[in-house]
Amino acid sequence: KRGEKKFNTETFDVIELAEHVKKQQWWNKMFGKNNSGPAAEKYSVAKQLAIGGVSGWCAGYLFQKVGKLAASAVGGGFFLLQIAHHTGYIQIDWKRVEQDVNKAKKQLKLSSDKPPKEVRTKFNEVQVFVKNNIVLTGGFAGGFLLGLAS
């Protein structure tokens, strides 16, 4: 039959990832329902070190790759900006740039005296998690450093 078009009519379900992960048994076993339960009560020290080390290595490796990409993008952009400036395509008002940088420094200095409540709350949550899962966190830190080095 010529001229007929066939359409693929697949349907997909949309799943909210945060809710889906909360219902997973492995997530609740590892981190507890409030995400700060101690893993030391659930797994041996070797398993905690392995889980922390592998996840830390993955995070460190990704951090290294993304960091190199970001540094290349920023450096390349600055390099292109300098070439465009020296060839006469653009002119940069360096006095205005300096004024804007100084203004930003003053604003940062004023707002850095006391961090916002949300930052303090998250920091406290991280402290509790690290204290309750010191072996897992140590494995993660070691793995992260190995991931950065590889």
Side-chain angles (χ1 to χ4, degrees):
K1 297 180 179 184
R2 289 187 178 165
E4 287 185 22
K5 293 183 181 178
K6 292 185 179 180
F7 293 102
N8 190 359
T9 57
E10 292 183 48
T11 59
F12 297 97
D13 293 330
V14 177
I15 299 173
E16 187 176 343
L17 187 59
E19 293 300 320
H20 180 69
V21 168
K22 286 179 185 176
K23 295 176 185 174
Q24 297 302 311
Q25 286 185 341
W26 67 270
W27 184 265
N28 289 332
K29 282 182 184 177
M30 184 65 200
F31 296 109
K33 293 201 185 267
N34 61 0
N35 295 346
S36 63
E41 298 172 358
K42 301 170 184 114
Y43 293 104
S44 68
V45 172
K47 282 186 181 179
Q48 289 180 62
L49 281 174
I51 290 169
V54 169
S55 61
W57 182 86
C58 291
Y61 186 77
L62 287 173
F63 188 79
Q64 173 201 33
K65 295 298 179 185
V66 171
K68 282 183 181 178
L69 180 67
S72 299
V74 170
F78 185 71
F79 182 68
L80 290 175
L81 185 67
Q82 287 295 325
I83 289 174
H85 176 68
H86 285 290
T87 56
Y89 284 108
I90 61 172
Q91 288 186 342
I92 301 171
D93 186 2
W94 289 109
K95 289 185 180 186
R96 185 172 177 191
V97 170
E98 185 179 357
Q99 289 173 352
D100 290 344
V101 167
N102 288 335
K103 184 179 176 182
K105 281 183 185 179
K106 288 178 184 176
Q107 288 177 346
L108 284 173
K109 190 174 182 180
L110 291 175
S111 65
S112 68
D113 293 337
K114 189 174 182 183
K117 183 180 178 183
E118 297 85 18
V119 172
R120 290 191 307 265
T121 303
K122 287 296 176 189
F123 182 73
N124 289 339
E125 287 178 17
V126 169
Q127 273 186 324
V128 168
F129 181 81
V130 169
K131 286 178 184 175
N132 289 339
N133 299 294
I134 193 71
V135 176
L136 182 74
T137 307
F140 181 86
F144 186 82
L145 293 175
L146 287 173
L148 283 178
S150 60

